[in-house]
Amino acid sequence: MQDENILRKIKKCLRLAGSSNEHEASTALRQAHALMKKHGLRMNDVQASDIKEHSIRAGAKNRPAQWEAWLASTVAKAFNCRSLHQSMWRRGEWQFIGREAAPEIAGYAFSQLARQARKARQEFIETQCQRLASRSKTRRADLFCEGWVRQVYSQVQQFAGDTNPDAEIIESYLQNKYEQIGDLKTNNRNQDRKFNQADTNAYRQGQREGEKAKLHHGIGGNGGDKQLALT
C-alpha cells in the first residue's frame, strides 16, 4: 500500500509537470524526481505500475500446441502486449500483459480467434481426414492450424507495425514481478517430419481459411484505438 501511495504521488507530480504554468510544472517535476530518487525508482518503474494482466485458459497445462502458441504471440503483438504461458494447478493459462485495457482486449481477441481456429480445424478433420488414423488426423490438422495462424500473422504484421512502444516498460514489469521466465516448450507434432503433398495442401488450406479473420484500425473500444473484428 505504501508503494502504491508513493507511485500515486509521483504520477500526480508528473501530470502537473505538463502544466502550462512554467513555475508549477518545474516544481512538480523536481518533486517527482526527488521522490523517485528517495525511493530508488526509475521512470520505467513508475510507468510499469500501469501494466495489467489478463488470463485466458490455454489448450494444455504444460505444452500447448505450436499453432496455439503462435496465435497467442500474434495477438499479443497486435495489441502491444506480451504473452506468457503459465502452468496452473489443473490447467494452463495464457497471460496477456500490457498497459491499461490492452491485455483484456487481447485476451478477448485470442479467445475469439482460437474458437474460430478450432471450429475450422474440426471441419477440416471431418471433411479432409476421414481415412486417416487418429494420430495422423491430429498431425495433419495441426498443419492446417499453423497455416491458419500464419495467415492471421501476416495481417497482424501490417496491423501492428514492427515495434511495441511499451516493450521496455513491460520488460521492466516482468523483471520486477517474475523471478524467472523460461522458454516455452510447445507440442510440435510435425517436428523433423518430411512433408508430403497432402501435408502441404493442409497447410495451404489453413492459410485460405485464415483469410476470413480481419484486423482493423480505429474501431472504437475501451482502452485503445485497436480492436479485432471477425468475419
Side-chain angles (χ1 to χ4, degrees):
M1 182 62 70
Q2 183 179 0
D3 290 342
E4 291 179 5
N5 289 334
I6 293 166
L7 287 168
R8 193 176 297 113
K9 290 177 181 178
I10 293 172
K11 289 179 184 179
K12 182 178 179 180
C13 289
L14 290 173
R15 285 194 297 270
L16 290 173
S19 170
S20 57
N21 184 314
E22 186 175 341
H23 175 71
E24 182 182 50
S26 61
T27 300
L29 189 58
R30 284 197 302 271
Q31 290 176 339
H33 286 166
L35 284 168
M36 290 168 67
K37 184 178 181 179
K38 179 180 179 180
H39 297 283
L41 296 171
R42 301 166 300 163
M43 183 60 73
N44 273 2
D45 297 323
V46 177
Q47 293 173 319
S49 66
D50 292 328
I51 298 298
K52 309 295 182 185
E53 299 187 18
H54 187 75
S55 300
I56 293 292
R57 185 165 187 166
K61 177 181 178 180
N62 293 313
R63 294 184 63 186
Q66 181 166 273
W67 69 265
E68 186 180 317
W70 286 355
L71 181 60
S73 177
T74 294
V75 171
K77 178 180 174 65
F79 295 97
N80 293 333
C81 294
R82 277 281 301 275
S83 60
L84 297 178
H85 183 274
Q86 292 187 314
S87 296
M88 311 303 286
W89 180 42
R90 290 185 174 180
R91 67 182 194 180
E93 289 185 349
W94 290 110
Q95 199 82 356
F96 292 94
I97 303 168
R99 298 187 75 176
E100 300 176 345
E104 185 175 356
I105 298 172
Y108 172 79
F110 172 81
S111 64
Q112 295 298 310
L113 281 171
R115 187 178 299 118
Q116 184 177 342
R118 291 189 178 101
K119 180 181 178 181
R121 175 192 180 94
Q122 187 59 38
E123 291 175 354
F124 172 78
I125 291 174
E126 292 174 355
T127 59
Q128 304 296 322
C129 304
Q130 302 98 322
R131 299 181 181 181
L132 295 178
S134 178
R135 181 177 297 181
S136 296
K137 286 182 181 180
T138 301
R139 185 182 66 81
R140 190 73 56 77
D142 278 359
L143 285 172
F144 170 88
C145 287
E146 288 173 15
W148 194 96
V149 174
R150 185 65 182 86
Q151 184 60 38
V152 172
Y153 176 79
S154 297
Q155 297 181 55
V156 168
Q157 284 286 84
Q158 300 175 10
F159 175 79
D162 296 327
T163 60
N164 179 352
D166 301 325
E168 189 175 346
I169 301 169
I170 295 172
E171 189 61 33
S172 178
Y173 172 88
L174 293 174
Q175 290 176 0
N176 289 333
K177 179 167 183 179
Y178 297 97
E179 292 184 2
Q180 184 177 6
I181 299 176
D183 294 329
L184 177 63
K185 295 181 179 180
T186 61
N187 188 2
N188 183 3
R189 299 178 180 92
N190 290 286
Q191 188 172 9
D192 300 326
R193 294 186 66 94
K194 185 176 180 180
F195 292 168
N196 57 32
Q197 188 59 50
D199 293 330
T200 301
N201 290 343
Y203 183 88
R204 289 176 177 170
Q205 187 171 343
Q207 286 184 299
R208 290 192 293 272
E209 287 296 314
E211 291 177 356
K212 296 178 181 179
K214 302 297 182 183
L215 290 165
H216 301 286
H217 281 286
I219 300 176
N222 293 329
D225 62 352
K226 294 179 179 179
Q227 189 173 3
L228 185 72
L230 299 177
T231 60

